[in-house]
Amino acid sequence: QAQLVESGGGLVHPGGSLRLSCKAPRMITSVYNTYNFDWYRQPPGDQRELVASISSGGATDYLGSVKGRFTISRDNSRKTVFLQMNSLKPEDTAVYYCHGQSPLYQTHWGQGTQVTVPS
C-alpha cells in the first residue's frame, strides 16, 4: 500500500520546537483533499496514542496534554499535513506516525519519525 512520507523529526531540548511534515504519495494525491489525517506517537516501550487530528474540512482535535503547544494543519495545494510542536517536553519523546484515512476507510501510515526531547 502507498506509504505517507514523513520528515522533520530530530532531537531538541526542552522548550524547543519542531515541525513534522507528512506528504501524500502519488497514489492518493488526487484524493488527498477527501482524507482525514492524524498524528500518532509511540513513546519508548509504550502504546501508540492519538495526538492530533484534522478532518477533510479542516476541523481539528488534540490530545489534552498537547493542547496549546501542538498545531495540526494541512496545505491542500502541497498535499501535505503538518504538526507544529512548540514548548516540547521530555514526555513528548516518541516515534511520531502520520495516518490518513479515506472516506471508504482505506488507511495509510507514514514510516515514523523520531522526536527526542532529553531531560
Side-chain angles (χ1 to χ4, degrees), residues 14-115:
S17 297
L18 283 173
R19 187 179 71 165
L20 306 183
S21 298
C22 173
K23 185 173 177 60
R26 290 181 61 189
M27 180 180 173
I28 64 171
T29 294
S30 63
V31 293
Y32 161 92
N33 292 358
T34 72
Y35 272 58
N36 300 321
F37 286 94
D38 313 285
W39 287 96
Y40 288 79
R41 69 186 182 189
Q42 188 165 14
D46 212 337
Q47 300 179 72
R48 190 171 298 187
E49 64 183 348
L50 179 62
V51 176
S53 300
I54 187 165
S55 73
S56 59
T60 59
D61 202 4
Y62 297 92
L63 179 68
S65 62
V66 310
K67 286 182 178 179
R69 299 190 297 120
F70 290 12
T71 302
I72 187 171
S73 61
R74 60 194 295 163
D75 184 337
N76 290 345
S77 68
R78 296 168 61 187
K79 313 303 180 184
T80 303
V81 178
F82 302 96
L83 184 67
Q84 178 67 46
M85 304 184 293
N86 298 326
S87 302
L88 283 162
K89 305 174 180 179
E91 66 196 53
D92 297 317
T93 295
V95 177
Y96 283 71
Y97 296 92
C98 184
H99 170 260
Q101 189 170 76
S102 76
L104 295 179
Y105 306 106
Q106 176 65 254
T107 293
H108 302 274
W109 288 93
Q111 80 278 11
T113 186
Q114 178 71 48
V115 172

